[in-house]
Amino acid sequence: MSTVRQIRAWLSARRRFQFVLTVAMVMLLTGTCVGLLMVPNPILPKLRATQQANAESLGQAQAGDPRLAQVRRTIEPFGQLVTRVVATGAGHESVVVGHPAQRSEIDVLASELGAATSAVTELWGPDWAQSTLVAVASAPAEFAALLHSVDMPSDVAAASIAEPFAPGTQPTAQRVVFSPDAGRRLSPDGLRTLLRHELTHVATRAVTVDGAPPWMLEGFAEYTAHRAQPHSFLDVAPTVTARVRTGELPTDLPSAAEFTGKSAVLAYEQAWTICAFIADRYDEPHLVALYRRIAASKQDPTSEDRILQEVLQTTRADLIADWRAWLSPRTA
């Protein structure tokens, strides 16, 4: 019996000890919370900054960045985040975001983003946000989700997107998204050039109507991308060069249908040469003015002819003839 009493006494003592320990822990935690509430305000930002620095050291994006808030739910399930904040002129900042596996592409794009923004602004003007989110996807599903598209062609290396907006207002939630294999398919120079192309679409989006002629939209973006770059005519338009050298000159401006499928490469090159010709023959302000008129609505040959006469004082037929004559000596 004495042994039973000893066991009961030991269990009772243990329960009392556990109770006392629990009460002590509650009091300690309560005191800690009260102490934090009484910490002077100047100290709290330092604590928060330390927490943010720790998160950033792990490759996580700043939780409070409003530009990232719109895409975090899409990209975080695909893995840890890497972010770069880039000054893009006139007090603006842009962000490049992706995942550790795309760090090399992120670094290339971040190093180019400031110069690319300035290059677009120099040609187009300052009436655009100049603060862009650039994302590098790690998987086709992430690429499609960031672009809100389920039928994005597999050969697309990058695209830009804006949330729906009212005519005459600035678009919101604009971003440029690079595909998961963009870094494998393109050299660093190719990534930089493509970034400028897509930033041009971002800058011009407010005055561009869906369905406007792609020879103007894509040609202008290509012109901006290669402008002031050490790229020769042959570098930018090898397909056009080869065709013109065999006497196969274009007979018309490329149609919208030609910008898809096997004809897309030639159509994009032709569109660039059209805009390069206009800038060379008339000047860049005339090219910008023509874009603003052509991109403002869907066009047909008749409406294009009218706009060309108003902006360039030439007809559509004469523009094509002069463009053809301009091509020959540059492809010789």
Side-chain angles (χ1 to χ4, degrees), residues 78-124:
F78 290 88
Q80 196 176 58
L81 304 186
V82 175
T83 60
R84 299 283 187 271
V85 179
V86 182
T88 46
H92 300 289
E93 286 185 337
S94 295
V95 178
V96 184
V97 61
H99 304 284
Q102 287 74 42
R103 193 181 298 273
S104 60
E105 293 96 312
I106 292 169
D107 289 344
V108 169
L109 295 170
S111 67
E112 170 64 15
L113 189 50
T117 302
S118 297
V120 172
T121 301
E122 183 178 289
L123 178 63
W124 179 252

Side-chain angles (χ1 to χ4, degrees), residues 232-256:
S232 68
F233 191 99
L234 179 60
D235 290 335
V236 182
T239 310
V240 169
T241 299
R243 291 193 171 219
V244 173
R245 283 176 177 175
T246 62
E248 192 176 347
L249 287 160
T251 58
D252 200 354
L253 304 176
S255 66

Side-chain angles (χ1 to χ4, degrees), residues 150-205:
V150 296
D151 56 356
M152 183 61 60
S154 59
D155 61 343
V156 173
S160 57
I161 184 175
E163 298 296 340
F165 63 99
T169 64
Q170 284 291 336
T172 60
Q174 294 196 96
R175 55 182 173 269
V176 175
V177 185
F178 282 78
S179 73
D181 64 345
R184 178 180 58 81
R185 294 168 51 191
L186 300 172
S187 66
D189 182 63
L191 286 173
R192 289 189 287 267
T193 300
L194 186 54
L195 175 64
R196 293 189 180 205
H197 177 108
E198 295 302 334
L199 280 180
T200 304
H201 287 313
V202 171
T204 59
R205 189 68 183 92

Side-chain angles (χ1 to χ4, degrees), residues 209-241:
V209 170
D210 292 338
W215 68 262
M216 185 80 260
L217 310 190
E218 300 301 339
F220 186 77
E222 280 291 276
Y223 177 79
T224 309
H226 294 286
R227 175 178 175 267
Q229 297 294 305
H231 303 155
S232 68
F233 191 99
L234 179 60
D235 290 335
V236 182
T239 310
V240 169
T241 299

